[in-house]
Structure formats: C-alpha cells, structure tokens
Amino acid sequence: MAIPRDERESRAPSLTKSQQFNHFGPMDRLPPLNPLRAFEAAGRWQSIRRAAEELGVTPGAVSRQVQSLEAHLGTPLFRREPREMVLTAEGEEYLAIITHHFDGIREATLKLTGRRNVEILRVRAYTTFAVKWLIPRLSSFHEANGDTEVRLTTSIETVDFKRENVDGAIRLGDGKWPGLEVDRLVANQLTPLCSLAFRRRANLKRPSDLVGQPLLHSLVRLDDWRIWLDAAGVAGIDPYAGQKYASSTLAYQAVLQGHGIMMAQKFLFADDLRARRLVQPFSFTLDRGDFTYYFIYPRNRLRNPAFRRFREWLLEQTDHKARTRVTAS
C-alpha cells in the first residue's frame, strides 16, 4: 500500500544541525568571518599595511585573508597595482554593505558590555591654524565624543595619505586635490594687524602710511604682503622687506611686542581682535576667494563613524557662508 506523502515526510529521519548546515550550498552561508574582517579593514583604510596594524597581524596575513575571501566569493575585490590596492566596483559595493553591519555589531557590543574603546583620529594642520583656531575649539568635540581622541600634528609639508598615518588634513590651497574629498572651511581674508600701541606710534590711518614701517612676514606665505599691497593700490613699498618668521604664530608674538605690523588671515585672529590685543588699522581686506583652507581626506575615511562625527563637528565650527563641498576628481 502506498504511504501518503505527508506520512512519508514525517517518517524521514531528521537532520542534525551539522547536517542541516552542510545540506545547503556554500553560497547560502555566511562567508568566512576572519577574511571578511580583514577585507573590511583593508577596504576601509585602502591599505593592507594599515589594516594589518589595526588587526595586529602581518600584512602578508591580511593579503592572504583577502585572497581567501575573493576565492570564496568568486570575484576580485581589489585591483593590485604596483604601489597600492584599489577596490573594484564590486569590492566598493560589497564593502559599503558589510561596513554598515560591522558598525552595527560594534555598537551593539559596546552597548551590551558597557565598554567603549577609544578611537584615534589623526589630523594634520598648520601650526598657526592649530594654535589659534583648532585647539581652542577642540575640547568641545572631545566633551561630546568621549570615545574619540583627535591626535593633532602640524606640518607645512604635503600630505601623502597612502604612505602616512593621517586620516584628514587641513590644507591651504585652491580646492583642487585630485582623488580626495574636499570640504571648504572658511573665508580667507588678508589684512594687516598690529598692536594698538604700534598703530598710535606709527599714526596708521590709511594703507599709504605703511611706507617706512617694519613689515613682518611668515616664511610660508611670503607673497601675502605683495598681494595685499597690489590690491590696495599702494606703491613705493618693498613687500618683501622686514623680519621673517617660520610661522604666523611667531610673527604674532613679535607683533604683540610691538616689533611691527603683520599680514594676517583675519579669521585666525578674531579672538585677538575682539580682546583688542590686536587691531586692524585699515578697513580694506582682501578676500582670496577659492584660495583658502580646506579639510581634505580619502573617501574611504567616511566609512568610519568617528571620522564622520569629527568632520561634521569641524564644519559646524566654521563659517557656514564660506563652506562648500568640492567633489573628488
């Protein structure tokens, strides 16, 4: 007698958990998690070396794990080039999806355990920008983001994100950094500044009164006096004469001591102007337009929630009227 179908199925031996797992094809399962973690770190940093540093393994181990994942998925995730690894279109799409889930796992774990690891962000800036503008404001970011530490370094050198351990940099330029994300921060207005005592002593009322006065310069921006004097229509002054200092911070200290008058980027000394430590002897300011300060960074840094929070905070601190987003090219 034929056994009804429902009864045949009820008599079939049940599968163990292991048998149930192996019953499905390999593409129905999660990919191996260690290779997935290695790929997520390598893709986020766009660097095998930095992924290895984060994971505490060798670069060779990360490379092998990524290759293992590619073999499992049957598709290349990176293009291997002589000096770098670049995500393929498939790798970029896959990374965006798994990063979202990795972030969720991290947040859920921190919420469950009550422990918050400190995330370190490495930011590069110029000395004067850091001392006069960024550092006085940075405590507000740390107060709101106790699990993030901003490690600030200063340099005038070009930043190489592929070779240096830097997440983002504040740079002065025309806004054109090919291959990087670029956020304009502030308006760059040039104007002479001096102490109140110096202005009175030199009897400064109009730009032509600068003839014969000691001009102070920053070595990193030696053309500023020439550019401003030309725009102000002042002749008969050597724009390169006078004492020169390694940074505007040092020139600022000389100005406080009454040694002369400096050409300054006005926004950096707004607090000094309000406190009357410095005065602006002439009303004329020169807006340098697109030549100003920008926050630059590789696009992959936006996958890091801590970095996104820092970027949002930085933009909130700046002049919203001066800000524009410049797309990578």
Side-chain angles (χ1 to χ4, degrees), residues 111-131:
K111 183 177 180 180
L112 176 66
T113 61
R115 296 194 302 269
R116 302 199 68 84
N117 296 323
V118 175
E119 178 94 26
I120 296 173
L121 298 179
R122 294 169 173 84
V123 177
R124 178 83 52 83
Y126 300 102
T127 299
T128 302
F129 191 101
V131 171

Side-chain angles (χ1 to χ4, degrees), residues 21 29 71 76 86 109 146 182 224 244:
F21 181 81
R29 309 176 204 152
V86 180
T109 302
V182 180
D224 281 3
K244 299 171 179 63

Side-chain angles (χ1 to χ4, degrees), residues 22-267:
N22 290 313
H23 176 73
F24 299 101
M27 296 309 293
D28 293 320
R29 309 176 204 152
L30 285 172
L33 295 183
N34 281 338
L36 196 66
R37 186 181 177 211
F39 165 68
E40 189 270 341
R44 175 162 35 87
W45 290 115
Q46 292 281 276
S47 167
I48 292 292
R49 177 183 61 82
R50 293 195 65 179
E53 292 173 357
E54 176 182 309
L55 299 175
V57 298
T58 66
V62 173
S63 184
R64 288 190 293 273
Q65 293 277 30
V66 171
Q67 291 172 1
S68 171
L69 181 62
E70 290 175 320
H72 176 86
L73 298 174
T75 187
L77 301 172
F78 285 100
R79 294 196 316 273
R80 275 73 175 177
E81 298 186 359
R83 294 175 55 185
E84 61 182 339
M85 294 178 67
V86 180
L87 284 164
T88 62
E90 294 81 5
E92 187 83 43
E93 182 179 0
Y94 191 53
L95 180 66
I97 295 171
I98 68 167
T99 296
H100 172 75
H101 294 293
F102 267 85
D103 289 343
I105 293 170
R106 291 187 186 102
E107 288 299 318
T109 302
L110 292 172
K111 183 177 180 180
L112 176 66
T113 61
R115 296 194 302 269
R116 302 199 68 84
N117 296 323
V118 175
E119 178 94 26
I120 296 173
L121 298 179
R122 294 169 173 84
V123 177
R124 178 83 52 83
Y126 300 102
T127 299
T128 302
F129 191 101
V131 171
K132 299 297 295 177
W133 193 90
L134 184 55
I135 290 175
R137 293 165 172 77
L138 200 52
S139 62
S140 69
F141 175 79
H142 286 138
E143 288 171 2
N145 298 272
D147 57 347
T148 304
E149 175 188 341
V150 178
R151 291 191 180 173
L152 182 62
T153 59
T154 61
S155 174
I156 64 172
E157 301 299 325
T158 301
V159 182
D160 186 344
F161 288 101
K162 293 176 181 176
R163 293 180 173 272
E164 298 183 77
N165 193 10
V166 178
D167 296 299
I170 296 167
R171 298 285 92 179
L172 183 65
D174 60 5
K176 298 176 182 176
W177 281 271
L180 297 175
E181 296 298 303
V182 180
D183 294 313
R184 179 171 172 166
L185 297 179
V186 293
N188 181 18
Q189 295 178 324
L190 293 183
T191 191
L193 299 179
C194 62
S195 68
L196 180 60
F198 182 88
R199 186 184 71 176
R200 289 171 175 167
R201 185 170 69 248
N203 194 28
L204 299 178
K205 296 179 179 179
R206 58 188 64 85
S208 59
D209 294 335
L210 288 168
V211 175
Q213 298 300 328
L215 307 184
L216 307 183
H217 308 260
S218 168
L219 282 170
V220 298
R221 298 198 324 277
L222 274 177
D223 291 327
D224 281 3
W225 269 111
R226 176 187 60 77
I227 293 169
W228 187 88
L229 288 168
D230 287 347
V234 179
I237 297 177
D238 182 352
Y240 299 102
Q243 294 296 316
K244 299 171 179 63
Y245 299 88
S247 70
S248 294
T249 301
L250 297 179
Y252 164 73
Q253 294 299 323
V255 166
L256 291 180
Q257 299 301 317
H259 293 178
I261 184 168
M262 68 184 289
M263 182 57 61
Q265 294 163 311
K266 187 176 178 179
F267 80 95

